[in-house]
Amino acid sequence: MDPITHAASGAVAMLALPRRPLTRWAVPLAALAAASPDLDLVFVSTPLQFLLLHRGITHSLAAMPILGLLLALCCYPLWRSTTPGRWNFGKVWLLTCAMVLLHIWLDVVTTYGTMIFLPFSHERVRLNGVFIIDLLLTLPLLWAVWRWRRKRGLMLLALAWVFVYPATGVGLNAWHAAQAEARLRAENRQVSHLTILPDAFSPFFWRVLFEEQGPDGMLVHEQSLNALGRPRAPETTHQAAPARLTAELSRQSVTCETFFQFTLLPVMTPLRPEDAPKAPSGVQDAQNLLFYDLRFGSGLAFVRKIMALRPHADIPFQLMVEVAPAQAQSGAKTADMLLLRQRLRFSDSRRDSHWQLPRVPRPPSLAEWLVGLR
């Protein structure tokens, strides 16, 4: 979820309380606490670190009390002895923990994936109930903070909206999944890994992704749906990244391993010539491939036009590789394809690893295990 929505949810939560410390810092501090887990981006400098750290340990349920404690210490105006109606430190700590949990909730209901079980599991939880930026969620919160801040009853309704609206999206997602499965089954299609994704204004528009065997391998199909689960447009088809190839690349590179753990139904296409390595490797039969997934697109033409206007608009998360048949390398008998070079590029954040040699995965150190750096 975007930072504005996170901050607005924290402000709404503070304004909905029956009593709060009488300081002008109360609402801003609650807003900052609700947005604070995204400070993990401060420690990110490379695309690989982005995948490893963002929505990682600062979004973990296990780390929530520790982060809440640090935030409570920073919220000194709320427990300062000279503040009228001040709270004790324990109450402030409880508030900051609640703000972190509110942040985690709003991230989990999106499609990105949040590692809430760190350091015990790197599983990314995604409930696919809300689009990347959802004005139907954000605008009511901003309106409440602007116009209803002195009306506690209305602020309680706005706070309920933070939970009811995404939860409704999660429920609608399950309903659309059942509808899509029934429709495709009636068409006698053998599909797998069917996933429903929210589109912009997701109560009314959705997308379905699924895999199906094609004449030349697995295909990923994408189709836009209306509020009733009916197709709005013809399917678009993409070449699925072969599972055997992604497993082989993951075995040879920690970057590939991390990227494919992040993706949802990854697809593959030949790399554009302008993105290929400038210096050829000289390996016989080498080829350049691009991997990405379809999570962050839209089935609405006007939304795609708006997204195309963003700076450096391109596929958001890209893995580029240069590979060659293993037989092209003397003595290479352990792999079908040999990874020669790799590149991660995230267009929106302008993070680019540039072309580099692969780094073989290794077991994490104790320090890395504790903060989820694997």
Side-chain angles (χ1 to χ4, degrees), residues 176-178 180-182 184 191-196 208-211 265:
H176 278 287
E181 288 175 356
L184 293 168
V191 305
S192 60
H193 300 99
L194 184 145
T195 301
I196 298 292
V208 58
L209 301 180
F210 58 90
E211 283 188 336
L265 295 181

Side-chain angles (χ1 to χ4, degrees), residues 105 129 161 163-174 203 206:
W105 161 250
W161 187 246
F163 298 96
V164 172
Y165 179 79
T168 301
V170 174
L172 287 173
N173 186 301
W206 299 81

Side-chain angles (χ1 to χ4, degrees), residues 43 53 105 126 133 142 180 189 212 221 244 255 280 360-361:
F43 305 99
L53 285 175
W105 161 250
R126 53 175 75 89
I133 297 175
L142 295 176
R189 300 180 64 174
E212 187 176 32
H221 297 273
R244 184 171 179 174
T255 296
V360 177

Side-chain angles (χ1 to χ4, degrees), residues 23-305:
T23 169
R24 63 181 180 178
W25 290 103
V27 174
L29 285 174
L32 289 172
S36 63
D38 283 340
L39 287 174
D40 53 14
L41 291 172
V42 173
F43 305 99
V44 169
S45 59
T46 68
L48 181 58
Q49 289 176 345
F50 189 96
L51 293 182
L52 292 170
L53 285 175
H54 185 43
R55 296 205 187 183
I57 196 65
T58 59
H59 295 65
S60 164
L61 295 174
M64 176 269 297
I66 300 174
L67 179 58
L69 177 60
L70 296 175
L71 291 171
L73 292 171
C74 296
C75 291
Y76 176 63
L78 302 183
W79 51 275
R80 183 174 50 197
S81 60
T82 56
T83 299
R86 76 181 186 93
W87 289 347
N88 60 45
F89 183 79
K91 192 172 182 178
V92 176
W93 187 6
L94 183 63
L95 170 78
T96 54
C97 288
M99 294 301 96
V100 174
L101 286 174
L102 188 58
H103 184 110
I104 293 172
W105 161 250
L106 288 176
D107 278 352
V108 162
V109 296
T110 65
T111 61
Y112 185 92
T114 307
M115 294 179 280
I116 65 174
F117 299 121
L118 283 176
F120 310 106
S121 170
H122 290 77
E123 179 184 359
R124 292 181 178 271
V125 178
R126 53 175 75 89
L127 299 182
N128 299 338
V130 178
F131 191 58
I132 312 163
I133 297 175
D134 195 317
L135 297 180
L136 296 180
L137 173 61
T138 307
L139 291 181
L141 302 182
L142 295 176
W143 177 266
V145 173
W146 180 41
R147 300 291 295 180
W148 296 346
R149 57 188 303 125
R150 299 186 185 279
K151 301 177 180 179
R152 181 168 174 264
L154 294 176
M155 295 306 300
L156 285 171
L157 288 177
L159 181 59
W161 187 246
V162 174
F163 298 96
V164 172
Y165 179 79
T168 301
V170 174
L172 287 173
N173 186 301
W175 181 82
H176 278 287
Q179 293 288 106
E181 288 175 356
R183 174 172 60 85
L184 293 168
R185 189 165 51 246
E187 297 173 0
N188 294 318
R189 300 180 64 174
Q190 302 297 316
V191 305
S192 60
H193 300 99
L194 184 145
T195 301
I196 298 292
L197 298 175
D199 209 330
F201 310 105
S202 53
F204 310 107
F205 303 103
W206 299 81
R207 291 190 300 144
V208 58
L209 301 180
F210 58 90
E211 283 188 336
E212 187 176 32
Q213 184 65 46
D216 299 316
M218 294 297 291
L219 301 174
V220 175
H221 297 273
E222 174 188 15
Q223 191 167 43
S224 180
L225 306 174
N226 63 18
L228 299 177
R230 297 170 182 164
R232 296 182 54 256
E235 295 177 7
T236 57
T237 303
H238 311 263
Q239 181 67 50
R244 184 171 179 174
L245 176 58
T246 60
E248 192 58 57
L249 294 178
S250 297
R251 188 183 65 81
Q252 298 179 52
S253 164
V254 67
T255 296
C256 294
E257 179 187 41
T258 304
F259 182 83
F260 290 124
Q261 288 174 350
F262 169 74
T263 55
L264 182 68
L265 295 181
V267 298
M268 178 181 73
T269 187
L271 189 62
R272 295 170 294 199
E274 60 268 25
D275 293 328
K278 302 303 180 185
S281 62
V283 176
Q284 184 181 4
D285 297 328
Q287 55 181 317
N288 301 312
L289 301 173
L290 169 66
F291 297 92
Y292 61 99
D293 69 7
L294 306 170
R295 232 181 317 169
F296 306 105
S298 174
L300 303 173
F302 78 94
V303 174
R304 291 197 299 270
K305 289 180 180 179

Side-chain angles (χ1 to χ4, degrees), residues 343-356:
R343 179 184 182 185
L344 275 180
R345 183 171 67 189
F346 302 161
S347 58
D348 289 295
S349 60
R350 301 187 67 181
R351 291 184 172 90
D352 193 335
S353 70
H354 304 288
W355 286 100
Q356 55 186 220

Side-chain angles (χ1 to χ4, degrees), residues 303-321:
V303 174
R304 291 197 299 270
K305 289 180 180 179
I306 294 173
M307 294 173 70
L309 296 176
R310 72 191 195 276
H312 316 288
D314 200 352
I315 299 169
F317 297 92
Q318 304 175 42
L319 170 65
M320 310 175 199
V321 300

